[in-house]
Amino acid sequence: MKKALVVRGGWEGHSPVQATDMFIPGLTDAGFDVEIAEDLDVYTDAAKLAATDLIVQCWSMGRLTPEQCEGLVSAVRAGTGFAGWHGGVVATFQDSPDYLRMVGGVFLYHPPQFLDYEVRMERAQADHPIVAGLPDFTVHTEQYWMLGDALNTVLATTEFGPPEQPVTMPVAWTRNWGAGRIFFSAIGHRTEDLWDPAVYTLTHRGLVWASRQVVQ
């Protein structure tokens, strides 16, 4: 049985307990033994992280100590998977550059109001197991403007900004960091967003995909 560690806390506006609770049954059904941590010091437990196949993080507006950051990044480099959504991944730990390089992006801005926007699957990634068979869909929620880098494999995008000067913005990506796999989705400000069938499927598949890869 694989081991998943759900690390949750930080700003309560992103409902870290309720949001992560939504995905625990699916992880259990996928064969994971799930443990929950509500203290970032879990990232300093090298033995626990080495025995963990997947870290699911939902911790917005937090700060990592140097020891916590080093423990997390080292574990992912060694093969522990890391996954999450929205501010629980890219709107947190912003004074830890090693963490930000690992996850591949940082939140900059969202309009003050919720918007209807289309999420488009990247055609070049149509066969990727996270998005295979998923249609384009529309959500009504926060739209994130982020910075990312070229190591990201972008699975889904949206158009951001005024019609005369639109910017294509990633919504979901994967990347490898050392031996570890990473998945991120920008959608998930509210639990209602995550319950959307397309969003839930995208997120659940991403969590499972990011798990440690066993070399045969």
Side-chain angles (χ1 to χ4, degrees):
M1 179 173 285
K2 289 191 171 186
K3 293 186 178 295
L5 177 65
V6 174
V7 181
R8 63 192 190 186
W11 184 56
E12 288 295 328
H14 284 157
S15 306
V17 172
Q18 297 91 329
T20 53
D21 277 352
M22 293 171 54
F23 293 96
I24 291 174
L27 289 173
T28 301
D29 290 344
F32 287 88
D33 177 23
V34 180
E35 180 179 347
I36 295 170
E38 296 180 338
D39 188 325
L40 293 173
D41 271 344
V42 72
Y43 287 153
T44 66
D45 189 336
K48 179 183 291 291
L49 298 190
T52 296
D53 299 291
L54 171 66
I55 295 169
V56 177
Q57 179 181 284
C58 186
W59 197 297
S60 302
M61 300 185 186
R63 300 185 70 178
L64 289 173
T65 67
E67 295 78 15
Q68 291 165 349
C69 184
E70 172 63 22
L72 171 59
V73 173
S74 294
V76 174
R77 279 196 175 277
T80 299
F82 183 88
W85 54 86
H86 200 62
V89 171
V90 298
T92 194
F93 311 150
Q94 293 187 353
D95 55 354
S96 296
D98 287 346
Y99 168 83
L100 296 177
R101 288 196 307 129
M102 180 188 82
V103 299
V106 61
F107 163 78
L108 292 183
Y109 165 80
H110 65 72
Q113 72 280 10
F114 288 177
L115 300 173
D116 290 314
Y117 63 90
E118 185 181 22
V119 177
R120 298 191 306 272
M121 302 301 110
E122 284 290 286
R123 302 301 177 247
Q125 300 300 326
D127 294 330
H128 194 289
I130 296 177
V131 295
L134 281 182
D136 299 344
F137 59 90
T138 300
V139 292
H140 178 77
T141 187
E142 286 184 342
Q143 190 177 30
Y144 263 18
W145 186 301
M146 297 170 291
L147 292 182
D149 66 46
L151 289 180
N152 292 337
T153 297
V154 176
L155 303 179
T157 63
T158 187
E159 291 296 311
F160 203 124
E164 67 274 12
Q165 197 175 28
V167 174
T168 299
M169 191 64 53
V171 172
W173 68 69
T174 64
R175 66 195 273 121
N176 293 87
W177 199 247
R181 283 180 163 188
I182 293 171
F183 165 78
F184 168 74
S185 168
I187 308 170
H189 178 74
R190 305 169 298 170
T191 55
E192 297 97 306
D193 304 332
L194 294 166
W195 277 129
D196 178 279
V199 175
Y200 184 90
T201 298
L202 173 74
T203 309
H204 169 74
R205 288 181 180 180
L207 303 185
V208 173
W209 176 90
S211 179
R212 182 190 304 274
Q213 298 305 290
V214 178
V215 178
Q216 301 296 331

